[in-house]
Amino acid sequence: MKALKLRPVGKDYLWGGTRLREEYGKEIPLTPLAETWECSVHPDGESVIVNGEFAEMTLREVLMLHPEYMGSKYPSGSEFPILVKFIDAKCDLSVQVHPNDAYARKYENQNGKTEMWYVLDADEDASLIYGFEHPVTEQILRNAVQDGTLGKHLHKVKVQKGDVYYVPAGTVHGIGAGTMVAEIQESSNVTYRVYDYDRVDKDGNKRELHFDKACEVMDMNMVSHKRNSRIVRCNPGYSSEELCCCKYFRVTKISIVRRFCLNLLKESFQVLLCIDGTGMLHSDSGSVPVQKGECVFVPAEDRVDRQFFIDGRLSILLICC
C-alpha cells in the first residue's frame, strides 16, 4: 500500500495573507491566499493526488474506485468525513458560527461543522474569539451588531503557538489577525456570519451576514475556554501528544527525531499533515518524501500487521476518524 500525497485547493478570502506561499511552499497563484484545503473531497474544493498510479486524479475519484481505502467502519458509498486545512489569518476572520449536523442536513444539505485548531504561529498580540463573556439573547446580539458594540459581549482569548482549541458546532468564534492554524473539521462548508466588521470585498460589496440562522444554531450561554493539560509521551525516535479526541476525529501530534512506525488501520484511513521539518515515508510499495506544508492520505489496510515508517526530523499531525 502506498501513501497518497495530496495537492490542495486554495481560497482567496479577503482576510488572508501570503505566508502559506512564502513559508509553506504553496504554489497557488492567489493573493491573498487565506486557506489551503489539504485533504478534501468537498465539492467546493477537492484535493488531487500527485504521486503514483493515481496522479492527477482527485481524492474523491480514487475513493470511488477504491472505497475500501476508507476502512471497514465506512460502508461502500459512505461520505468522506473530514476536511483538513491550513489557515493564514492576516486580518480578523468574521465573527461566525457553524450549525450542528441535524440543522445543516435539514437546511443546507451538508454536514454540520465541528472543528479544532492547532496554532502554528501567532503574533505577540494575537487573539481569537471563543464564545461569549456572559449569557446573551437574540435581541442583545441584534442591537450590538447594529450599533457596533458586539465586541463587549465576546470572549477573547490570547493565543500562542502550540495552543489547541476544540470548537464544537454552535460555538460563536473568530480567528484573530496574526494567527496561523491547522484546522481539522467535519467535511462541510457551512458558515453563518454574525458580524464582519463592515468590510467590503474587491468589488466594494459587503459580505453577506446570516444573523437569523446564526441565532438559531448558536449557544448563547457563557463559554469559557480552558487549556486542557496535555501529556507528551516520549519514545525512542519520536514523541507523541494527543491534541483532540471527539466523535468526528482524533488528532495526535507526532514529533520525529529519527523514526516513527505508523501502524495501518483496518477500520479507518489516516491523514498526515506535516507542520514542520522534512522526512521520508517508507512502505513496501516505495518511499514518499514529506516536508513542511504537505499532506498525505494513508489508506486503510486489511492486513493489520503492515506498517509505514517515517524517517527524518519533522512534526506531523496524525488524524484518524
Side-chain angles (χ1 to χ4, degrees), residues 2-6 50-52 272 274 277-283 286-296 309-312 314 316:
K2 190 169 185 178
L4 306 179
K5 189 183 289 189
L6 303 175
V50 298
N51 65 312
L272 310 179
C274 185
T278 60
M280 189 73 70
L281 196 159
H282 306 283
S283 72
S287 299
V288 178
V290 182
Q291 65 181 13
K292 177 181 176 179
E294 293 185 333
C295 188
V296 178
F309 295 93
I310 305 175
D311 294 330
L314 66 162
I316 62 172

Side-chain angles (χ1 to χ4, degrees), residues 1-15:
M1 184 68 69
K2 190 169 185 178
L4 306 179
K5 189 183 289 189
L6 303 175
R7 181 169 69 237
V9 174
K11 301 292 181 180
D12 61 350
Y13 305 135
L14 57 78
W15 43 261

